[in-house]
Amino acid sequence: MGKHDHPHVEASGASLAKAAQSALEGAGEAWTDMRAQIFDAVAEIGKPASAYEIADIVSQKRGKRVAPNSVYRILDLFVANNLVRRVESANAFVANSHPGCLHDCIFLICDSCGTAVHVDNDKISGGVRAAAEATGFAAERPVIEVRGKCAECQ
């Protein structure tokens, strides 16, 4: 991902769901009821959530069981289309608040309350990509995770 000199439009609530729908449909994928419900569940949780947690929320709303493997498939589609970010160390997912903008992932993860803040810093991620390239490694999807305590938990 290259350098991005532009303001971000941080979406939330209905505008976030609409932005996600537009991005997915723009990629040639359908925005089904199930996909909408899974996206809404990820966005509503507000912190990294597992596919099992998401499946439980969607199951309750639908009134019937939704299999976690179905949720994983949809989450993989969302990650591939930049609607959701994967917190690798927790095998959990968070909604991307600006799905139309591509950046490498830098997460600040609180070990006390579990929140994860996504930071866009192309200088840092560019340095990681350059270090990888210097060794002959082609970085396809860098994810940087910093664990510690958020301001609220300190």
Side-chain angles (χ1 to χ4, degrees):
M1 305 200 180
K3 186 173 172 58
H4 300 287
D5 293 321
H6 58 268
H8 284 162
V9 176
E10 299 286 328
S12 63
S15 68
L16 178 57
K18 186 68 177 164
Q21 179 179 355
S22 294
L24 193 63
E25 289 175 343
E29 297 286 346
W31 186 256
T32 64
D33 287 340
M34 175 68 89
R35 290 175 180 178
Q37 289 175 337
I38 289 173
F39 184 82
D40 288 346
V42 174
E44 288 170 8
I45 292 170
K47 63 182 181 179
S50 72
Y52 290 90
E53 292 169 309
I54 296 162
D56 286 345
I57 290 167
V58 175
S59 293
Q60 288 175 4
K61 288 184 179 181
R62 292 176 68 94
K64 62 181 180 179
R65 186 179 176 281
V66 174
N69 60 347
S70 296
V71 173
Y72 269 117
R73 281 193 298 275
I74 292 171
L75 290 170
D76 287 344
L77 175 70
F78 287 172
V79 169
N81 286 282
N82 200 40
L83 310 182
V84 168
R85 305 283 188 154
R86 184 167 185 256
V87 179
E88 303 287 338
S89 64
N91 192 25
F93 303 86
V94 294
N96 181 359
S97 62
H98 44 91
C101 182
L102 296 173
H103 289 278
D104 292 328
C105 290
I106 302 171
F107 285 114
L108 308 177
I109 305 164
C110 182
D111 288 326
S112 294
C113 68
T115 60
V117 175
H118 177 232
V119 177
D120 290 323
N121 187 315
D122 292 330
K123 187 174 182 179
I124 291 171
S125 60
V128 170
R129 283 181 174 277
E133 190 174 299
T135 67
F137 187 83
E140 294 179 15
R141 193 176 46 94
V143 176
I144 302 165
E145 296 184 12
V146 180
R147 300 198 68 101
K149 291 194 180 197
C150 70
E152 295 291 320
C153 293
Q154 290 183 39

